[in-house]
Amino acid sequence: MAARFPDELTCDMAETYHALDWRALGLPLAATLAAGLRENSRTRMALAGSVSTVDTLLLGAAVDALHLLVWGKTKDGQKGRSRPEPVVNRLLGTPGQRQTTGFSCAAEYEAARARILGER
């Protein structure tokens, strides 16, 4: 933990325990205190590879659901156009752009399908 994320651990120890020099605490005490850090602390999130807290993701999902409900009542929503971009995608850093491909004939579709499935 200390070797992989020293800056995060220093910030968390200072914020949580007011220990600006956690190395001076000694290894057993520092390890005990580090194990007691909150789930949403910088260090624990970095270890888990998380980019947002669970609370933030749940709030984003609630906003997305509300956006879809409101959008569904609009003319665009009834025709399936201009769907709102999910907030959760931005929180997770995943691209929200869907790749849409059109085909002019069935042969183009079958060739693209075979390429995607690795049949050719």
Side-chain angles (χ1 to χ4, degrees):
M1 183 182 309
R4 290 179 59 199
F5 306 106
D7 295 336
E8 289 87 347
L9 184 59
T10 300
C11 286
D12 287 335
M13 293 293 250
E15 179 183 16
T16 306
Y17 305 114
H18 306 286
L20 297 177
D21 185 13
W22 59 267
R23 288 178 176 88
L25 299 173
L27 185 59
L29 180 58
T32 302
L33 294 177
L37 290 172
R38 299 178 324 276
E39 185 178 321
N40 62 349
S41 67
R42 295 168 193 86
T43 307
R44 300 255 322 254
M45 287 182 61
L47 284 171
S50 301
V51 292
S52 290
T53 64
V54 173
D55 295 341
T56 304
L57 292 174
L58 288 173
L59 287 171
V63 167
D64 288 342
L66 183 60
H67 280 166
L68 285 177
L69 286 172
V70 172
W71 171 76
K73 299 290 183 181
T74 65
K75 290 180 182 177
D76 280 347
Q78 292 170 0
K79 294 181 181 181
R81 297 182 301 205
S82 301
R83 185 181 181 136
E85 165 116 18
V87 173
V88 173
N89 286 354
R90 281 184 257 148
L91 291 173
L92 294 174
T94 57
Q97 296 287 337
R98 293 186 183 135
Q99 288 188 356
T100 315
T101 306
F103 304 101
S104 60
C105 64
E108 285 183 16
Y109 166 76
E110 291 297 332
R113 180 180 178 274
R115 186 176 27 52
I116 290 169
L117 297 176
E119 295 175 357
R120 290 186 189 171

